[in-house]
Amino acid sequence: MGELLRAFGVMIPLTITAIPYALLGWPLLAAHRRRRRADLFSASATAAVDMTLVLTCFLVLCLVTMPVTGAQSSRLNLEPGTDLRLALNDSANLWQALGNVLMLSPLGALLPLRFRRLRSLGRIALGALAVSVLVEGTQYLIQAGRVTSADDILLNTLGAVAGAAMSKRLWHRLDVRPPVAIPAQVRRVCEAPVRLRVPRSVWDERYSGIAHPQRR
């Protein structure tokens, strides 16, 4: 437990400090979207998702860049399965493996709610794999004192896919439906002459001479 706190203990006060700012930005962003004629549910829900995404990205960035207390250099372990075997034998490594699973799971769960092109488990897996490789590579390059491991990449990707699978039923709930276009009513005047064909009746034959004496 001491090693776990040494690696992730700095994130606890940082998270406690960042959450009130996210909670403050949520109603402000929702009010801004309400002014843009969004309905109450859509404005509040999308603002909550966006602020959670920003908070998650901020915490992941801090976790990657902050050095570990007492560590001198980063270590590289590209053999798959090594960290998983250690996690089964040591509780500290087990909690660290669970942390790797949960690190990208919020992004996998929330990004498909806002971006339609990411509404596929395969695309989420590829995106999470690319982000995880970038995170692990950055940790090793800046020498933050953390372990760059192939198992971390696999666990991060697995967590993102699991988060996307759990939120799959909600992917279409926040879609903004376009307003129904009502066609404008246009009055059109018929310019063609109206021709009424009146058949000749008995009245025409009997009184045509009276009305038109020149036709006699």
Side-chain angles (χ1 to χ4, degrees), residues 78-91:
L78 299 180
E79 182 181 355
T82 303
D83 293 343
L84 294 178
R85 289 193 296 268
L86 294 176
L88 296 177
N89 299 324
D90 188 5
S91 60

Side-chain angles (χ1 to χ4, degrees), residues 96-106 152 155-160 162:
Q96 187 172 359
L98 292 177
N100 288 324
V101 172
L102 297 176
M103 187 172 71
L104 296 183
S105 58
D152 293 347
L155 293 175
N156 292 336
T157 305
L158 179 63

Side-chain angles (χ1 to χ4, degrees), residues 161-180:
V161 173
M166 288 187 292
S167 66
K168 189 174 183 180
R169 294 183 178 181
L170 304 176
W171 286 356
H172 300 279
R173 292 292 299 274
L174 300 183
D175 290 346
V176 179
R177 298 180 180 179
V180 179

